[in-house]
Amino acid sequence: MRNTRRMSSRTSPIGRQITIRRTVARDAKRLTRLVRGSGAYAGQYASAVAGYRVGPDYLGAHRSFVAVDGEEDGGRVLGFYSLILAPPELDLLFVADEAQGRGIGRLLVAHMQSEARAAGIDCVKVVSHPPAEDFYHRVGAVRAGTALANPPAVPWDRPEFEFRISPE
């Protein structure tokens, strides 16, 4: 099954159609580059993504979706997310640096909520990167606590959020 949803072109960084589609194994390298190159993880946060790999096995195991600009398979990757169903968690959400501030993250969150709703999930947890805290507030997540530092992998506390999914 291929889950493709065309989004409004007005949100595209260059005025083209944005497609959110299920990830496939061949997306893994591009998504890994997006994660490792994220400006949000520069400086003190760089260790969190250094060597990080989004593998084809990971993409196959979770509901992962990618936003692309233009052509569905060959377009530029604007962002992606991964929804783990049990227990429900938004595990990854990244937007390419050059696409930030253009509504891509909001589109991905709305898509994630739709996927969660379709799976019968009423609440999705997010352990956020500290600089992303304001973003999660803006897209409707509710602060639920703090994930304590876990050195050496993650040497800082992280805000925890919940998306409460309405049944519609």
Side-chain angles (χ1 to χ4, degrees):
M1 179 179 91
R2 191 166 187 116
N3 185 346
T4 300
R5 178 182 301 177
R6 298 221 181 259
M7 297 295 177
S8 169
S9 63
R10 67 183 171 80
T11 59
S12 171
I14 58 173
R16 292 176 55 187
Q17 189 75 9
I18 295 172
T19 301
I20 296 178
R21 63 161 172 81
R22 190 81 184 244
T23 58
V24 293
R26 70 179 174 275
D27 292 323
K29 287 182 182 178
R30 292 197 302 170
L31 301 181
T32 295
R33 281 193 302 270
L34 192 154
V35 170
R36 289 182 184 176
S38 174
Y41 283 87
Q44 69 176 336
Y45 300 113
S47 64
V49 296
Y52 193 88
R53 179 178 171 267
V54 180
D57 52 338
Y58 176 88
L59 297 177
H62 304 296
R63 289 195 183 188
S64 299
F65 293 84
V66 61
V68 294
D69 185 14
E71 297 296 318
E72 186 173 322
D73 290 322
R76 183 175 54 155
V77 171
L78 301 173
F80 78 103
Y81 77 88
S82 182
L83 175 63
I84 295 174
L85 297 180
E89 181 177 358
L90 177 60
D91 186 41
L92 297 172
L93 174 63
F94 280 84
V95 174
D97 289 350
E98 67 275 6
Q100 290 186 9
R102 296 186 170 125
I104 305 301
R106 187 173 294 277
L107 289 173
L108 289 168
V109 166
H111 191 276
M112 178 277 300
Q113 290 172 315
S114 173
E115 286 294 311
R117 187 177 300 109
I121 295 170
D122 62 0
C123 186
V124 175
K125 174 184 167 182
V126 178
V127 178
S128 174
H129 177 52
E133 186 168 1
D134 288 341
F135 166 77
Y136 284 111
H137 280 296
R138 287 192 311 272
V139 295
V142 177
R143 181 74 187 252
T146 301
L148 299 177
N150 185 19
V154 183
W156 54 84
D157 293 346
R158 295 162 294 155
E160 289 183 342
F161 291 93
E162 290 180 347
F163 283 102
R164 297 180 183 141
I165 310 298
S166 62
E168 273 191 341

